[in-house]
Amino acid sequence: MKKFLLSTLAFLLISTSVIAQKPQKLTSNQIYEKIQKLNFLGTALYIAAHPDDENTRLIAYLANNVKARTGYLSLTRGDGGQNLIGSEIRELLGVIRTQELLAARRVDGGQQFFTRANDFGYSKHPDETLEIWNKEEVLSDVVWAIRTFKPDVIINRFNHRTPGTTHGHHTTSAMLSVEAFDLVGDKNKYKEQLKYTETWQPKRLFFNTSSWFYRNQSDFDKATKGKLTSFNVGVYYPLKGLSNNELASMASSQHLCQGFGRVTTRGEQNEYVEFLKGDKPKDENDVFSGINTTWNRLKNGGDIGDILYDVEENFDFVNPSKYLPQLMEAYQLVQKLEDTHWRTIKEKQLKEIIEACAGLYLEASANSSSGTPNSTIEVNFEALNRSSVSMELISITSTIDNKKLTKNIDLDANKKITFKESINLKTNTYSDPYWLRKEATLGMYKVDDQKLIGKPETPRPATIDFNLLINNVAITITKNVLRKYAERDKGEIYEPFEILPKITTKLKDKVLIFSNDVAKKVLVEVRAGANNIKGTVSLKVPTSWMVSPKEIAFNINQKNDKRTVTFLVTPPKNQSEGSLEVIASSEGKMYKKELIEINYNHIPKQSVLSNSKAKIVRLNIKKAGNYIGYIKGAGDAVPESLRQIGYTVENINPLEINEKNLLKYDAIVLGIRAYNVVKELKFKQKFLLEYVEKGGNMIVQYNTNRGVDVAAPFSLSLSRDRVTDEFAAVNILAKEHSLLNFPNKITNEDFNGWVQERGLYFPNSWSKEFTPILSMHDKGETAKNGSLLIAKHGKGNYIYTGLSFFRELPAGVSGAYKLFANMLSVGKEVSK
């Protein structure tokens, strides 16, 4: 019992240690589980559309109970979702959600893959989805994933036969999976892929069904009679001290930016998969029924199995190092396998097990978390053999510069070896997310390198091969160069090592709004990626704009230090939009990138390079009132956007709201999903409504309709109604209402240039006190009149809007600024 408790604690620590990216140190229980997986030669691929679509119960069951090599192909990175933990949206949100998926896979034991599809937001039908995505490219990526991962079994999360009943991306993922199943074995389809892989034919295709997809249990039973495979995924894993459902809940809880943190569950639970295509399994409780998943699957694999099945059957949890001779023998046989696919997989798995059984610790830690192309860095090496097995470090090879250093050091039991070496970062490529390096379309990311397509992240730029002799058998174990340091209040911290530009620049604001023709100061932050950086920085603006001075010199001595320079930008007298670009120059080279660091506790630190530019807008806008109180919700950039047009915005702490301290504001705005995420609001709503009643102006932005009460002064019911087409026609219902006429005249032209969507979670019913202002709808749907509602309450005004201002204002959409200014100004014309 004590052993199991300790293993559970170790497992939990390892699960959460991804926060600091510490190297994995396996317990005996985990080594044994890896041996079990080593001895199962079967592969399953789960396919859906977004991060958090995956069924972690089924993935965890296949990976940990069946012991199958299990992957999840998410067609998108979730770029079009919302963010509950920060202000990152679009491609930056996609970076976060990618890492959350990887964190989930580290918990449930799966592997992660993607296509180049860009999550452009909610889609109501596959037809719309495939109008925006490039179907041929996404389909080719699905085929590529299947050909390279080579699953025996494919399981779709969604039903390909029911378009229009769920998110269009969902159904499309299943439709493309069904189509790919028939294409992957055809050598005439996507022939360019065959330079790097081979054709493949999975044995069978399933749909992960349940009664949830049907109107009732009877319809479910009727539709799936004779087609179902089922299994109880609530199994308990004594080696982990956890049930499969607990493991699955922990994996799902990694999706924090989508609010998936949850209480773990336990107990019996059935999952069902419906057979769609291929070779139907004879055993209804086994998706691998009839598929050879033993070592005998491979030519000459039986001899390897004889060795490794014996290790598994007689495994010694107290002294796993005793199996190193057999493991090394198996390793040599694996290297001779003719099947290159399985040879690569089994070599990697065996290396992990050999390293863990030996208690072998190998590390290459840089003195800094980043370096610049073609620079030299110092790396601290550590090698430690914690077993009694004969071991020698023959040499190390730096793969980035092909530098090989002979060592010939005996690794005696438990005697640590340390040394330092210099390596050259011999590359002209940065280590930022590969799919963001070229400008994307609304529906697709552009990736030209076939070998990168599908990978969850950019391969680590600098790796070290530790070339060893273990029991006189040569073996190479590869480690990423990383950064290790300690902080007194956090302890030991590990970070990824990145290759970044010598110079990056940053504009404080990504949208610069000029409400008149008066010049504004524009601040540019210059960051040094190396010591002793000199150069100049300038701004490139449209021809009708002016910048002073033309360039500014800078000199930064210390790496990671920053300097801020100030330009004066003068807009034209008339309305104008364009782009402002920052260009830094040093030693004849131009630098045009901004470094964005994303650092949350539950994922590794991310370094993203984006174009250092901003949208500049000369906007003829008027406003009434100045002092705005903002109650943050799930995270958005609306306060910063309002400051751009001259408002003073103060963040309100919900705990401090009382009957008096709201009266100083000209208007109060609630951030997106405030009622979903700020629990205190239900206790403070009476004060907010009293503020309105006394003459205040209150704007409530969208909330989801799941169990939330926005506590409006009059009856208001939220729905899932949304208008996803950002080009959808807008019909102005209340043309004479002051909301559309003061202080700015709002016309249909003000809805041009909106991004991603019109809005979401519109109310679908409301009391007569509310006046609907606008009407809009997606193609083929009825009019949605609830996007913007206003009601007089006492002396003030209550406004509820599902319009996506949280996307439009940061994107610099002129009409959105004018409309929001009018909402803030409602009622002010009377007192003027």
Side-chain angles (χ1 to χ4, degrees):
M1 177 61 74
K2 183 177 180 181
K3 178 172 69 177
F4 288 152
L5 290 173
L6 288 173
S7 74
T8 302
L9 177 60
F11 175 82
L12 293 172
L13 287 172
I14 288 169
S15 298
T16 57
S17 71
V18 297
I19 293 172
Q21 280 298 280
K22 292 183 178 179
Q24 190 179 35
K25 305 181 185 79
L26 301 179
T27 66
S28 292
N29 287 2
Q30 291 168 316
I31 294 171
Y32 178 69
E33 289 178 311
K34 283 189 176 290
I35 292 171
Q36 290 179 308
K37 291 184 179 183
L38 179 68
N39 284 333
F40 189 93
L41 279 72
T43 304
L45 180 64
Y46 198 86
I47 298 179
H50 309 108
D52 72 41
D53 280 347
E54 80 273 27
N55 183 343
T56 54
R57 294 185 302 275
L58 189 48
I59 290 175
Y61 177 84
L62 291 170
N64 295 279
N65 188 72
V66 179
K67 309 300 181 186
R69 187 168 157 264
T70 307
Y72 173 43
L73 173 60
S74 175
L75 265 58
T76 76
R77 296 176 185 268
D79 326 75
Q82 287 82 48
N83 185 357
L84 286 179
I85 62 174
S87 60
E88 296 90 352
I89 57 175
R90 290 304 302 145
E91 66 274 4
L92 294 182
L93 177 60
V95 172
I96 293 173
R97 297 188 74 182
T98 294
Q99 291 300 319
E100 289 184 338
L101 269 177
L102 288 171
R105 298 295 78 79
R106 284 190 286 267
V107 174
D108 63 30
Q111 298 180 47
Q112 186 60 52
F113 308 98
F114 294 95
T115 75
R116 289 169 289 176
N118 191 344
D119 179 4
F120 55 83
Y122 193 85
S123 175
K124 294 181 177 179
H125 199 279
D127 290 347
E128 179 197 31
T129 299
L130 293 173
E131 285 178 6
I132 297 174
W133 287 353
N134 182 319
K135 180 188 174 181
E136 276 303 301
E137 288 187 359
V138 181
L139 179 58
S140 76
D141 291 356
V142 176
V143 169
W144 169 254
I146 296 171
R147 284 176 172 174
T148 53
F149 192 57
K150 294 182 170 33
D152 301 298
V153 172
I154 296 176
I155 303 174
N156 292 340
R157 181 70 179 102
F158 299 105
N159 193 344
H160 67 288
R161 299 159 295 196
T162 55
T165 60
T166 182
H167 197 318
H169 297 178
H170 292 171
T171 311
T172 300
S173 71
M175 292 168 60
L176 294 179
S177 173
V178 171
E179 190 170 349
F181 186 87
D182 294 329
L183 297 178
V184 291
D186 187 344
K187 64 181 180 181
N188 294 313
K189 298 295 184 181
Y190 306 112
K191 291 187 287 187
E192 69 281 358
Q193 296 179 2
L194 301 180
K195 298 175 186 175
Y196 312 103
T197 189
E198 308 84 35
T199 57
W200 177 254
Q201 186 56 58
K203 295 293 185 183
R204 53 192 65 133
L205 175 67
F206 296 96
F207 160 43
N208 184 196
T209 188
S210 73
S211 58
W212 185 87
F213 290 96
Y214 296 85
R215 289 179 299 178
N216 51 53
Q217 184 69 36
S218 176
D219 285 355
F220 170 59
D221 294 340
K222 182 179 179 181
T224 58
K225 185 176 181 180
K227 301 177 182 179
L228 288 184
T229 296
S230 66
F231 21 77
N232 173 19
V233 297
V235 295
Y236 177 66
Y237 303 124
L239 292 173
K240 299 181 188 295
L242 295 166
S243 69
N244 188 76
N245 286 343
E246 287 175 295
L247 201 63
S249 297
M250 291 165 63
S252 293
S253 289
Q254 304 304 311
H255 296 295
L256 294 182
C257 75
Q258 302 304 297
F260 268 61
R262 59 186 59 184
V263 173
T264 56
T265 59
R266 287 153 290 278
E268 183 177 293
Q269 183 171 1
N270 285 328
E271 281 289 339
Y272 301 92
V273 293
E274 176 188 351
F275 174 76
L276 298 178
K277 281 189 174 188
D279 175 20
K280 189 174 182 180
K282 295 179 180 179
D283 184 347
E284 66 178 19
N285 297 312
D286 181 8
V287 293
F288 286 96
S289 174
I291 299 172
N292 187 352
T293 59
T294 71
W295 279 101
N296 287 322
R297 174 178 189 153
L298 306 179
K299 182 180 178 181
N300 299 324
D303 293 340
I304 302 170
D306 289 343
I307 298 168
L308 295 177
Y309 292 134
D310 181 69
V311 173
E312 178 182 347
E313 185 176 349
N314 299 291
F315 189 73
D316 186 341
F317 288 85
V318 176
N319 182 23
S321 66
K322 67 191 288 185
Y323 300 106
L324 283 170
Q326 290 130 291
L327 293 172
M328 296 308 299
E329 182 183 358
Y331 175 74
Q332 289 176 290
L333 293 174
V334 165
Q335 288 182 301
K336 297 176 183 177
L337 287 173
E338 294 180 11
D339 189 316
T340 57
H341 171 70
W342 281 110
R343 184 176 71 219
T344 301
I345 292 166
K346 295 305 171 184
E347 272 190 10
K348 182 179 178 182
Q349 290 178 332
L350 262 170
K351 285 180 181 181
E352 290 178 353
I353 293 167
I354 289 165
E355 184 180 357
C357 284
L360 181 59
Y361 187 83
L362 302 170
E363 182 179 277
S365 174
N367 292 329
S368 173
S369 61
S370 68
T372 58
N374 298 304
S375 66
T376 298
I377 62 169
E378 293 295 317
V379 179
N380 302 300
F381 290 88
E382 179 179 337
L384 176 62
N385 168 25
R386 289 173 285 193
S387 73
S388 58
V389 173
S390 171
M391 199 175 302
E392 184 179 357
L393 178 61
I394 302 301
S395 63
I396 58 169
T397 304
S398 167
T399 59
I400 197 167
D401 60 358
N402 293 318
K403 182 178 181 181
K404 187 172 184 178
L405 298 166
T406 301
K407 292 298 175 182
N408 293 325
I409 301 172
D410 288 330
L411 297 181
D412 296 328
N414 213 29
K415 291 185 178 180
K416 183 171 69 174
I417 303 297
T418 61
F419 52 93
K420 291 184 179 182
E421 298 290 350
S422 297
I423 66 171
N424 183 267
L425 303 178
K426 196 174 182 181
T427 180
N428 291 312
T429 303
Y430 303 128
S431 57
D432 55 323
Y434 70 87
W435 64 96
L436 299 179
R437 289 173 180 166
K438 293 190 174 182
E439 188 171 350
T441 65
L442 176 63
M444 297 298 298
Y445 286 112
K446 184 172 178 58
V447 181
D448 295 328
D449 186 344
Q450 181 67 53
K451 290 178 288 185
L452 283 176
I453 291 172
K455 290 185 181 295
E457 56 186 345
T458 304
R460 290 291 91 205
T463 61
I464 300 294
D465 287 342
F466 289 83
N467 305 307
L468 303 146
L469 278 181
I470 300 179
N471 260 14
N472 292 316
V473 176
I475 185 170
T476 296
I477 296 175
T478 302
K479 295 293 181 181
N480 296 327
V481 175
L482 43 76
R483 163 69 168 146
K484 179 178 72 172
Y485 63 100
E487 290 186 2
R488 289 187 177 184
D489 59 339
K490 296 178 181 177
E492 190 175 56
I493 297 173
Y494 285 81
E495 289 180 349
F497 179 80
E498 308 286 8
I499 298 180
L500 300 172
K502 247 182 203 181
I503 301 169
T504 52
T505 59
K506 179 180 180 181
L507 287 158
K508 180 178 180 293
D509 300 298
K510 299 300 178 287
V511 175
L512 297 165
I513 306 293
F514 292 76
S515 56
N516 52 43
D517 60 0
V518 177
K520 275 188 178 183
K521 290 181 178 180
V522 174
L523 276 60
V524 178
E525 182 183 272
V526 183
R527 177 187 178 276
N531 294 332
N532 302 315
I533 298 296
K534 297 179 181 180
T536 61
V537 62
S538 61
L539 301 182
K540 183 180 178 181
V541 295
T543 54
S544 57
W545 297 66
M546 293 189 299
V547 177
S548 178
K550 289 187 176 181
E551 66 178 28
I552 299 174
F554 63 86
N555 185 349
I556 307 176
N557 295 325
Q558 189 69 38
K559 179 180 178 178
N560 294 328
D561 200 1
K562 301 169 185 176
R563 294 287 183 273
T564 300
V565 298
T566 304
F567 293 90
L568 200 63
V569 176
T570 305
K573 291 187 177 297
N574 299 319
Q575 190 154 318
S576 172
E577 292 187 9
S579 178
L580 178 150
E581 184 179 10
V582 183
I583 302 173
S585 299
S586 178
E587 298 178 340
K589 185 174 181 180
M590 290 193 297
Y591 298 88
K592 299 181 179 181
K593 294 293 184 180
E594 174 189 355
L595 173 62
I596 302 169
E597 293 183 336
I598 300 174
N599 209 350
Y600 291 100
N601 284 339
H602 66 302
I603 60 174
K605 178 182 174 183
Q606 298 297 295
S607 298
V608 182
L609 295 174
S610 68
N611 292 327
S612 187
K613 61 196 304 185
K615 183 175 182 179
I616 49 176
V617 181
R618 166 66 175 94
L619 176 63
N620 290 318
I621 189 170
K622 299 174 183 177
K623 60 189 182 68
N626 178 62
Y627 196 27
I628 309 301
Y630 202 91
I631 301 173
K632 287 186 176 181
D636 60 60
V638 170
E640 292 82 354
S641 299
L642 296 180
R643 293 183 185 108
Q644 282 279 335
I645 54 174
Y647 285 103
T648 299
V649 183
E650 181 177 272
N651 290 324
I652 298 174
N653 182 348
L655 292 172
E656 296 175 358
I657 293 175
N658 58 46
E659 67 274 12
K660 295 181 180 179
N661 63 3
L662 300 179
L663 299 176
K664 59 186 177 181
Y665 299 111
D666 294 313
I668 292 173
V669 182
L670 273 68
I672 60 172
R673 299 178 73 169
Y675 286 104
N676 294 122
V677 300
V678 183
K679 297 176 182 178
E680 296 81 8
L681 279 180
K682 63 182 177 181
F683 305 112
K684 301 296 182 177
Q685 185 67 12
K686 61 180 180 180
F687 301 125
L688 291 168
L689 293 181
E690 285 175 7
Y691 163 78
V692 177
E693 198 169 10
K694 291 176 181 178
N697 193 10
M698 178 174 164
I699 300 169
V700 180
Q701 297 180 85
Y702 98 92
N703 290 266
T704 62
N705 65 337
R706 295 177 185 172
V708 66
D709 180 10
V710 297
F714 312 106
S715 174
L716 181 71
S717 177
L718 302 184
S719 73
R720 295 183 64 85
D721 288 349
R722 62 175 78 203
V723 177
T724 62
D725 182 0
E726 64 267 43
F727 304 106
V730 176
N731 181 25
I732 296 177
L733 299 176
K735 293 182 180 179
E736 304 304 318
H737 198 286
S738 64
L739 182 55
L740 297 175
N741 293 279
F742 177 82
N744 305 286
K745 178 70 174 177
I746 303 298
T747 68
N748 286 96
E749 290 185 1
D750 290 304
F751 295 95
N752 294 338
W754 284 49
V755 298
Q756 186 161 323
E757 63 203 356
R758 290 296 189 195
L760 60 171
Y761 290 99
F762 297 160
N764 61 352
S765 66
W766 50 85
S767 66
K768 60 182 177 60
E769 287 84 0
F770 283 102
T771 299
I773 302 298
L774 306 170
S775 177
M776 58 193 72
H777 63 87
D778 282 320
K779 183 179 178 180
E781 295 191 353
T782 58
K784 305 293 185 288
N785 297 343
S787 64
L788 180 57
L789 304 172
I790 183 169
K792 193 75 177 176
H793 179 53
K795 297 179 181 179
N797 295 278
Y798 178 95
I799 298 172
Y800 189 92
T801 180
L803 293 171
S804 58
F805 289 106
F806 72 101
R807 296 194 192 280
E808 313 312 322
L809 298 185
V813 178
S814 301
Y817 274 92
K818 290 170 63 179
L819 181 55
F820 210 99
N822 280 17
M823 293 193 301
L824 293 170
S825 303
V826 164
K828 301 295 190 296
E829 73 274 23
V830 176
S831 59
K832 187 176 178 181

